[in-house]
Coordinates of all heavy atoms in Angstrom, one line a residue:
V90 N 128.8 150.5 205.1 CA 130.1 150.9 205.6 C 130.0 151.1 207.2 O 130.9 150.7 207.9 CB 130.5 152.2 204.9 CG1 131.6 152.9 205.6 CG2 130.9 151.9 203.5
V94 N 132.3 149.1 209.9 CA 133.1 149.8 210.9 C 132.7 149.3 212.3 O 133.5 149.1 213.2 CB 132.8 151.4 210.8 CG1 133.5 152.1 212.0 CG2 133.5 151.9 209.5
G97 N 134.6 146.5 213.4 CA 136.0 146.7 213.9 C 136.9 147.4 212.9 O 138.1 147.6 213.2
L98 N 136.4 147.8 211.7 CA 137.4 148.4 210.7 C 137.8 149.8 211.3 O 137.0 150.6 211.6 CB 136.7 148.6 209.4 CG 137.7 149.2 208.3 CD1 138.7 148.2 207.9 CD2 136.9 149.7 207.1
D99 N 139.1 150.0 211.3 CA 139.7 151.2 211.7 C 139.7 152.2 210.5 O 140.4 151.9 209.5 CB 141.1 150.9 212.2 CG 141.6 151.9 213.1 OD1 140.8 152.7 213.6 OD2 142.8 151.9 213.4
V100 N 139.1 153.4 210.6 CA 139.1 154.3 209.5 C 140.0 155.5 209.9 O 139.8 156.0 211.0 CB 137.7 154.7 209.1 CG1 137.7 155.8 208.0 CG2 136.8 153.6 208.7
D101 N 140.8 156.0 208.9 CA 141.6 157.1 209.2 C 140.8 158.3 209.5 O 139.7 158.5 208.8 CB 142.6 157.4 208.0 CG 143.8 156.5 208.0 OD1 143.8 155.6 208.9 OD2 144.6 156.7 207.2
K102 N 141.2 159.1 210.5 CA 140.3 160.3 210.9 C 141.1 161.6 210.6 O 142.4 161.6 210.6 CB 140.0 160.2 212.4 CG 139.4 158.9 212.8 CD 138.1 159.0 213.4 CE 137.4 157.7 213.7 NZ 138.2 156.6 214.0
N107 N 136.8 163.3 212.6 CA 135.8 162.8 211.6 C 136.6 161.9 210.6 O 137.8 162.1 210.4 CB 135.2 164.0 210.8 CG 134.5 164.9 211.8 OD1 133.7 164.4 212.7 ND2 134.7 166.2 211.7
W108 N 135.8 161.1 209.9 CA 136.5 160.2 208.8 C 137.2 161.1 207.8 O 136.7 162.1 207.4 CB 135.4 159.4 208.1 CG 134.9 158.3 208.9 CD1 135.4 157.8 210.1 CD2 133.8 157.4 208.6 NE1 134.6 156.8 210.5 CE2 133.7 156.5 209.6 CE3 132.9 157.4 207.5 CZ2 132.6 155.5 209.6 CZ3 131.9 156.4 207.5 CH2 131.8 155.5 208.5
D109 N 138.4 160.7 207.5 CA 139.2 161.5 206.5 C 138.9 160.9 205.1 O 139.5 160.0 204.7 CB 140.7 161.2 206.9 CG 141.6 161.9 205.8 OD1 141.3 162.9 205.3 OD2 142.7 161.2 205.5
I122 N 136.6 156.4 202.1 CA 137.2 156.1 203.4 C 138.4 155.2 203.3 O 138.4 154.3 202.3 CB 136.2 155.6 204.5 CG1 135.6 154.3 204.0 CG2 135.1 156.6 204.8 CD1 135.1 153.4 205.1
H123 N 139.3 155.2 204.2 CA 140.5 154.4 204.0 C 141.2 154.2 205.3 O 141.0 154.9 206.3 CB 141.5 155.1 203.0 CG 142.0 156.4 203.4 ND1 143.2 156.6 204.1 CD2 141.4 157.6 203.4 CE1 143.3 157.9 204.4 NE2 142.2 158.5 204.0
T124 N 142.1 153.2 205.4 CA 143.0 153.0 206.5 C 144.4 153.1 205.8 O 144.8 152.2 205.2 CB 142.9 151.6 207.1 OG1 141.5 151.3 207.2 CG2 143.5 151.5 208.5

Side-chain angles (χ1 to χ4, degrees):
V90 166
V94 171
L98 180 74
D99 201 11
V100 176
D101 282 5
K102 311 240 174 28
N107 301 314
W108 287 350
D109 174 37
I122 60 153
H123 61 98
T124 317

